[in-house]
Amino acid sequence: MEQERISIFQRPAWVVVFALTAAIAWGWAFPLIKVGFGAFGITADMTGSKMLFAGIRFAVAGLIVQTVARSSGRSFKTSKVADWKFLLAFALMNTSLHYFFFYVGMSHSEGSRAAILNSLSTFLVVLLACACFKSDKLTSRKLVGCVVGFSGILALNLGGAESGRFTWLGDGMIIMNAICGAVSGLMTRGLSRRIDVFVGTGLSLTIGGMLLIIPGLALGGTLPNVNLLGIICLLLLIAISALGFALYNKLLSCNPVGKVAIYNSLIPIVGAVTSCLCLGEAFHLKYALAGGLAALGIYIINKGKN
């Protein structure tokens, strides 16, 4: 009887399935964005077009999540101004700012490099959770894991300039994206106290997407070359957002952060490998070193009890 009262999102086997699904899907987003940019003819200097591309992706994904949530009887009914303010802040952090930095950074960086650097979000959310929540204690294991993980990120800048160096428009924007991702990960707990997580995720994606589309259009953003390949990439990215955010936010709302974050170790590995395979990017030895250290750091943080 007790087992029946446990949510499917708290059952160990399903936590593994859902978290792996979200992580692998997000890993594939790195090459898909780069391919989408090329297919639509969006160049590095077309900020408005990048915002429009991202905005369409998240607004449509949000509408899909909302539709599924409402069809299953979930709804958001509140007259509290504070709830709407929190939802707006979450949409700005989780979608608008998060992916503004991400899309700008992706257009100035190799997909494989960005995938590894983006793992910074996992270590930041662990440290921030320890600072913000009494239930998350800063242990020596977590500290060692973060040090190992950060060393992996630093390893990206080993070697000569031909194997990639730090740039503000590339790496700098991905780091800002990681910070936004970490903060929004913590905000998910507050979201779950105010609203059904699936409905909140759908609304935040839709609102955040519109907050990218409107300024994107104001900056003259367009999709210069609409074609089948670009549309397929956009549809796949929409599916990744709808599935990934719905699953991940729900898992974060009812499990310890560390129990879910361990599976994010796959994101930099999947992102780096798929970017090299799909984009023909050169694979540097330091990518394997950096990705391995990032994955090891996340494993160390989460092994044993959380």
Side-chain angles (χ1 to χ4, degrees), residues 238-299:
I238 287 170
I240 286 171
S241 294
L243 181 66
F245 275 107
L247 290 177
Y248 194 69
N249 285 353
K250 182 62 178 179
L251 289 173
L252 283 181
S253 71
C254 53
N255 293 284
V257 171
K259 186 176 181 180
V260 179
I262 184 173
Y263 300 99
N264 285 355
S265 61
L266 278 179
I267 296 177
I269 297 172
V270 174
V273 171
T274 55
S275 292
C276 291
L277 292 176
C278 298
L279 304 175
E281 295 178 354
F283 184 81
H284 302 290
L285 181 59
K286 68 179 181 180
Y287 287 177
L289 174 62
L293 286 172
L296 178 61
I298 295 171
Y299 171 75

Coordinates of all heavy atoms in Angstrom, one line a residue, residues 238-299:
I238 N 12.3 21.6 -30.3 CA 11.0 21.8 -29.6 C 10.7 20.6 -28.8 O 10.3 20.7 -27.6 CB 9.9 22.1 -30.6 CG1 10.0 23.5 -31.2 CG2 8.5 22.0 -29.9 CD1 9.1 23.9 -32.3
A239 N 10.8 19.4 -29.4 CA 10.5 18.1 -28.7 C 11.5 17.9 -27.5 O 11.1 17.5 -26.4 CB 10.6 17.0 -29.7
I240 N 12.7 18.3 -27.7 CA 13.7 18.1 -26.7 C 13.4 19.0 -25.5 O 13.5 18.6 -24.3 CB 15.1 18.5 -27.2 CG1 15.7 17.3 -28.1 CG2 16.1 18.7 -26.0 CD1 16.9 17.7 -28.8
S241 N 13.0 20.3 -25.8 CA 12.6 21.2 -24.7 C 11.4 20.7 -23.9 O 11.4 20.8 -22.7 CB 12.4 22.6 -25.3 OG 13.5 23.1 -25.8
A242 N 10.3 20.4 -24.7 CA 9.1 19.9 -24.0 C 9.3 18.7 -23.1 O 8.9 18.7 -22.0 CB 8.0 19.6 -25.1
L243 N 10.0 17.7 -23.7 CA 10.3 16.5 -22.9 C 11.3 16.7 -21.8 O 11.0 16.3 -20.6 CB 10.8 15.4 -23.9 CG 11.1 14.0 -23.3 CD1 9.8 13.4 -22.8 CD2 11.7 13.1 -24.3
G244 N 12.4 17.3 -22.1 CA 13.5 17.5 -21.2 C 13.1 18.3 -20.0 O 13.3 17.9 -18.8
F245 N 12.5 19.5 -20.2 CA 12.1 20.4 -19.1 C 11.0 19.8 -18.2 O 11.0 19.9 -17.0 CB 11.8 21.8 -19.6 CG 12.9 22.7 -19.8 CD1 13.4 23.0 -21.1 CD2 13.6 23.2 -18.7 CE1 14.5 23.8 -21.2 CE2 14.7 24.0 -18.9 CZ 15.2 24.3 -20.2
A246 N 10.0 19.2 -18.9 CA 8.9 18.6 -18.1 C 9.4 17.5 -17.2 O 9.0 17.5 -16.0 CB 7.8 18.1 -19.1
L247 N 10.2 16.6 -17.7 CA 10.7 15.5 -16.9 C 11.7 16.0 -15.8 O 11.6 15.7 -14.6 CB 11.5 14.5 -17.8 CG 10.6 13.7 -18.7 CD1 11.5 12.8 -19.5 CD2 9.6 12.9 -17.9
Y248 N 12.6 16.9 -16.2 CA 13.7 17.3 -15.3 C 13.1 18.2 -14.1 O 13.5 18.0 -13.0 CB 14.8 18.1 -16.0 CG 16.0 18.3 -15.2 CD1 16.9 17.2 -14.9 CD2 16.4 19.6 -14.7 CE1 18.0 17.4 -14.1 CE2 17.5 19.7 -14.0 CZ 18.4 18.7 -13.7 OH 19.5 18.8 -13.0
N249 N 12.2 19.1 -14.5 CA 11.7 20.0 -13.4 C 10.8 19.2 -12.5 O 10.8 19.4 -11.3 CB 10.8 21.1 -14.1 CG 11.7 22.2 -14.7 OD1 12.9 22.2 -14.5 ND2 11.0 23.1 -15.4
K250 N 10.1 18.2 -13.0 CA 9.3 17.3 -12.1 C 10.2 16.5 -11.2 O 9.9 16.4 -10.0 CB 8.4 16.4 -12.9 CG 7.5 15.5 -12.1 CD 6.5 16.3 -11.2 CE 5.6 15.4 -10.4 NZ 4.7 16.2 -9.6
L251 N 11.3 16.0 -11.7 CA 12.2 15.2 -10.9 C 12.9 16.1 -9.8 O 13.0 15.6 -8.6 CB 13.3 14.6 -11.8 CG 12.9 13.5 -12.7 CD1 14.1 13.1 -13.6 CD2 12.5 12.2 -11.9
L252 N 13.2 17.3 -10.1 CA 13.8 18.2 -9.2 C 12.8 18.6 -8.1 O 13.2 18.8 -6.9 CB 14.3 19.5 -9.8 CG 15.6 19.4 -10.6 CD1 15.9 20.8 -11.2 CD2 16.8 19.0 -9.8
S253 N 11.6 18.6 -8.4 CA 10.6 19.0 -7.4 C 10.3 18.0 -6.3 O 9.8 18.3 -5.3 CB 9.3 19.4 -8.1 OG 8.6 18.3 -8.6
C254 N 10.6 16.7 -6.6 CA 10.3 15.7 -5.6 C 11.4 14.8 -5.3 O 11.2 13.7 -4.7 CB 9.1 14.9 -6.1 SG 9.2 14.2 -7.8
N255 N 12.7 15.2 -5.6 CA 13.9 14.4 -5.3 C 15.0 15.3 -4.9 O 15.0 16.5 -5.3 CB 14.3 13.5 -6.5 CG 13.4 12.5 -6.9 OD1 13.3 11.4 -6.2 ND2 12.6 12.7 -8.0
P256 N 16.0 14.8 -4.1 CA 17.1 15.7 -3.8 C 17.8 16.1 -5.1 O 17.9 15.3 -6.0 CB 18.0 14.7 -2.9 CG 17.1 13.7 -2.4 CD 16.0 13.5 -3.4
V257 N 18.4 17.3 -5.1 CA 19.0 17.8 -6.3 C 20.1 16.9 -6.8 O 20.2 16.5 -7.9 CB 19.7 19.2 -6.0 CG1 20.5 19.7 -7.2 CG2 18.6 20.2 -5.8
G258 N 20.9 16.4 -5.8 CA 22.1 15.5 -6.2 C 21.6 14.2 -6.8 O 22.3 13.7 -7.7
K259 N 20.5 13.7 -6.4 CA 20.0 12.4 -6.9 C 19.7 12.5 -8.4 O 19.8 11.5 -9.1 CB 18.8 12.0 -6.1 CG 18.2 10.6 -6.4 CD 17.1 10.2 -5.6 CE 16.6 8.8 -5.9 NZ 15.4 8.4 -5.0
V260 N 19.3 13.7 -8.8 CA 18.9 13.9 -10.2 C 20.1 14.4 -11.0 O 20.3 14.0 -12.2 CB 17.8 14.9 -10.3 CG1 17.4 15.1 -11.8 CG2 16.5 14.4 -9.5
A261 N 20.9 15.2 -10.4 CA 22.0 15.9 -11.1 C 23.1 14.9 -11.6 O 23.8 15.2 -12.6 CB 22.7 16.9 -10.2
I262 N 23.2 13.7 -11.0 CA 24.2 12.8 -11.4 C 24.1 12.4 -12.8 O 25.1 12.2 -13.6 CB 24.2 11.5 -10.5 CG1 25.3 10.5 -10.9 CG2 22.9 10.8 -10.6 CD1 25.5 9.3 -10.0
Y263 N 22.9 12.4 -13.4 CA 22.7 12.0 -14.7 C 23.1 13.1 -15.7 O 23.2 12.8 -16.9 CB 21.2 11.5 -14.9 CG 20.9 10.4 -14.0 CD1 20.2 10.6 -12.8 CD2 21.3 9.1 -14.3 CE1 19.9 9.5 -11.9 CE2 21.0 8.0 -13.5 CZ 20.3 8.2 -12.3 OH 20.1 7.2 -11.4
N264 N 23.2 14.3 -15.2 CA 23.7 15.4 -16.1 C 25.1 15.2 -16.6 O 25.6 15.9 -17.5 CB 23.6 16.7 -15.4 CG 22.1 17.2 -15.3 OD1 21.2 16.5 -15.9 ND2 21.9 18.3 -14.6
S265 N 25.8 14.2 -15.9 CA 27.2 13.9 -16.4 C 27.2 13.4 -17.8 O 28.2 13.5 -18.5 CB 27.8 12.9 -15.5 OG 27.1 11.6 -15.5
L266 N 26.1 12.9 -18.3 CA 26.0 12.4 -19.7 C 25.9 13.6 -20.7 O 26.3 13.4 -21.9 CB 24.8 11.5 -19.9 CG 24.9 10.1 -19.5 CD1 23.6 9.3 -19.7 CD2 26.1 9.4 -20.2
I267 N 25.4 14.8 -20.3 CA 25.1 15.9 -21.2 C 26.4 16.3 -21.9 O 26.4 16.4 -23.2 CB 24.4 17.0 -20.5 CG1 23.1 16.6 -20.0 CG2 24.3 18.2 -21.5 CD1 22.3 17.7 -19.2
P268 N 27.5 16.6 -21.2 CA 28.7 17.1 -21.9 C 29.3 16.0 -22.8 O 29.8 16.3 -23.9 CB 29.7 17.4 -20.8 CG 29.2 16.7 -19.6 CD 27.7 16.7 -19.7
I269 N 29.2 14.7 -22.4 CA 29.7 13.6 -23.2 C 28.9 13.4 -24.5 O 29.4 13.4 -25.6 CB 29.7 12.3 -22.4 CG1 30.7 12.5 -21.2 CG2 30.2 11.1 -23.2 CD1 30.6 11.3 -20.2
V270 N 27.6 13.4 -24.3 CA 26.7 13.2 -25.5 C 26.8 14.4 -26.4 O 26.9 14.3 -27.6 CB 25.2 13.1 -25.1 CG1 24.3 13.1 -26.3 CG2 25.0 11.8 -24.3
G271 N 26.9 15.6 -25.8 CA 27.0 16.9 -26.6 C 28.3 16.9 -27.4 O 28.3 17.3 -28.6
A272 N 29.4 16.6 -26.7 CA 30.7 16.6 -27.4 C 30.8 15.6 -28.5 O 31.2 15.9 -29.6 CB 31.8 16.4 -26.4
V273 N 30.4 14.4 -28.2 CA 30.5 13.3 -29.2 C 29.6 13.6 -30.4 O 30.0 13.5 -31.6 CB 30.1 11.9 -28.6 CG1 30.0 10.9 -29.7 CG2 31.2 11.5 -27.6
T274 N 28.3 13.9 -30.2 CA 27.4 14.2 -31.3 C 27.8 15.4 -32.1 O 27.6 15.5 -33.3 CB 25.9 14.4 -30.8 OG1 25.9 15.4 -29.8 CG2 25.4 13.1 -30.2
S275 N 28.4 16.4 -31.4 CA 28.9 17.6 -32.2 C 30.0 17.2 -33.1 O 30.0 17.7 -34.2 CB 29.3 18.7 -31.2 OG 28.2 19.2 -30.5
C276 N 30.9 16.4 -32.6 CA 32.0 16.0 -33.5 C 31.6 15.1 -34.6 O 32.0 15.3 -35.8 CB 33.1 15.2 -32.6 SG 34.0 16.3 -31.5
L277 N 30.6 14.2 -34.4 CA 30.1 13.4 -35.4 C 29.2 14.1 -36.4 O 29.3 13.9 -37.6 CB 29.3 12.2 -34.8 CG 30.1 11.2 -33.9 CD1 29.1 10.2 -33.3 CD2 31.1 10.5 -34.8
C278 N 28.3 14.9 -35.9 CA 27.3 15.6 -36.8 C 27.9 16.8 -37.5 O 27.4 17.2 -38.6 CB 26.1 16.0 -36.0 SG 25.2 14.5 -35.3
L279 N 28.8 17.5 -36.8 CA 29.3 18.8 -37.4 C 30.7 18.7 -38.0 O 31.2 19.7 -38.6 CB 29.3 19.9 -36.2 CG 28.0 20.1 -35.5 CD1 28.2 21.1 -34.3 CD2 26.9 20.6 -36.5
G280 N 31.3 17.5 -37.8 CA 32.7 17.4 -38.4 C 33.7 18.2 -37.6 O 34.8 18.5 -38.2
E281 N 33.4 18.5 -36.4 CA 34.4 19.3 -35.6 C 35.6 18.4 -35.2 O 35.4 17.2 -35.0 CB 33.7 19.8 -34.3 CG 32.6 20.8 -34.6 CD 31.9 21.3 -33.3 OE1 32.2 20.8 -32.2 OE2 31.1 22.2 -33.4
A282 N 36.7 19.0 -35.1 CA 37.9 18.3 -34.7 C 37.8 17.9 -33.2 O 37.4 18.6 -32.4 CB 39.2 19.2 -34.9
F283 N 38.1 16.6 -33.0 CA 38.1 16.1 -31.6 C 39.5 16.2 -31.0 O 40.4 15.5 -31.5 CB 37.6 14.7 -31.6 CG 37.4 14.1 -30.2 CD1 36.3 14.5 -29.4 CD2 38.4 13.4 -29.6 CE1 36.1 14.0 -28.1 CE2 38.2 12.9 -28.3 CZ 37.1 13.2 -27.5
H284 N 39.6 17.0 -30.0 CA 40.9 17.2 -29.3 C 41.0 16.3 -28.1 O 40.0 16.1 -27.4 CB 41.1 18.7 -28.9 CG 41.0 19.6 -30.1 ND1 42.0 19.7 -31.1 CD2 40.1 20.5 -30.5 CE1 41.7 20.6 -32.0 NE2 40.5 21.1 -31.6
L285 N 42.1 15.8 -27.8 CA 42.3 15.0 -26.6 C 41.8 15.6 -25.3 O 41.3 15.0 -24.4 CB 43.8 14.6 -26.5 CG 44.2 13.6 -25.3 CD1 43.4 12.3 -25.4 CD2 45.7 13.4 -25.3
K286 N 42.0 17.0 -25.3 CA 41.6 17.7 -24.0 C 40.1 17.6 -23.8 O 39.6 17.8 -22.7 CB 42.1 19.1 -24.0 CG 41.5 20.0 -25.1 CD 42.0 21.4 -24.9 CE 41.4 22.4 -25.9 NZ 42.0 23.7 -25.8
Y287 N 39.3 17.4 -24.9 CA 37.9 17.3 -24.8 C 37.5 16.0 -24.0 O 36.6 16.0 -23.2 CB 37.2 17.2 -26.2 CG 37.2 18.5 -26.9 CD1 36.6 18.6 -28.2 CD2 37.6 19.7 -26.3 CE1 36.6 19.8 -28.9 CE2 37.6 20.9 -27.0 CZ 37.1 20.9 -28.3 OH 37.1 22.1 -29.0
A288 N 38.2 14.9 -24.3 CA 38.0 13.6 -23.6 C 38.4 13.8 -22.1 O 37.7 13.4 -21.2 CB 38.8 12.5 -24.2
L289 N 39.6 14.5 -21.9 CA 40.0 14.8 -20.5 C 39.0 15.6 -19.7 O 38.6 15.3 -18.6 CB 41.4 15.5 -20.5 CG 41.9 15.9 -19.2 CD1 42.1 14.7 -18.2 CD2 43.2 16.7 -19.4
A290 N 38.6 16.7 -20.4 CA 37.6 17.6 -19.7 C 36.3 17.0 -19.5 O 35.7 17.1 -18.4 CB 37.4 18.9 -20.6
G291 N 35.8 16.2 -20.5 CA 34.5 15.6 -20.3 C 34.5 14.5 -19.3 O 33.6 14.3 -18.5
G292 N 35.7 13.7 -19.2 CA 35.8 12.7 -18.2 C 35.9 13.3 -16.8 O 35.3 12.7 -15.9
L293 N 36.6 14.4 -16.6 CA 36.7 15.0 -15.3 C 35.4 15.6 -14.9 O 35.0 15.5 -13.7 CB 37.8 16.1 -15.3 CG 39.3 15.6 -15.4 CD1 40.2 16.8 -15.6 CD2 39.6 14.9 -14.1
A294 N 34.6 16.2 -15.8 CA 33.3 16.7 -15.5 C 32.4 15.6 -15.0 O 31.7 15.7 -14.0 CB 32.7 17.5 -16.7
A295 N 32.4 14.5 -15.8 CA 31.5 13.3 -15.4 C 32.0 12.8 -14.1 O 31.1 12.4 -13.2 CB 31.6 12.3 -16.5
L296 N 33.3 12.6 -13.9 CA 33.8 12.1 -12.6 C 33.4 13.0 -11.4 O 33.0 12.5 -10.4 CB 35.3 12.0 -12.7 CG 36.0 11.5 -11.4 CD1 35.5 10.1 -11.0 CD2 37.5 11.5 -11.6
G297 N 33.5 14.3 -11.6 CA 33.1 15.2 -10.6 C 31.7 15.1 -10.2 O 31.3 15.1 -9.0
I298 N 30.8 14.9 -11.2 CA 29.4 14.8 -10.9 C 29.1 13.4 -10.2 O 28.3 13.3 -9.3 CB 28.5 14.9 -12.2 CG1 28.7 16.3 -12.7 CG2 27.1 14.6 -11.9 CD1 28.1 16.5 -14.1
Y299 N 29.9 12.4 -10.6 CA 29.7 11.1 -9.9 C 30.1 11.1 -8.5 O 29.5 10.6 -7.6 CB 30.5 10.0 -10.7 CG 30.6 8.7 -10.0 CD1 29.5 7.8 -10.0 CD2 31.7 8.3 -9.2 CE1 29.6 6.7 -9.3 CE2 31.8 7.1 -8.6 CZ 30.7 6.3 -8.6 OH 30.7 5.1 -7.9

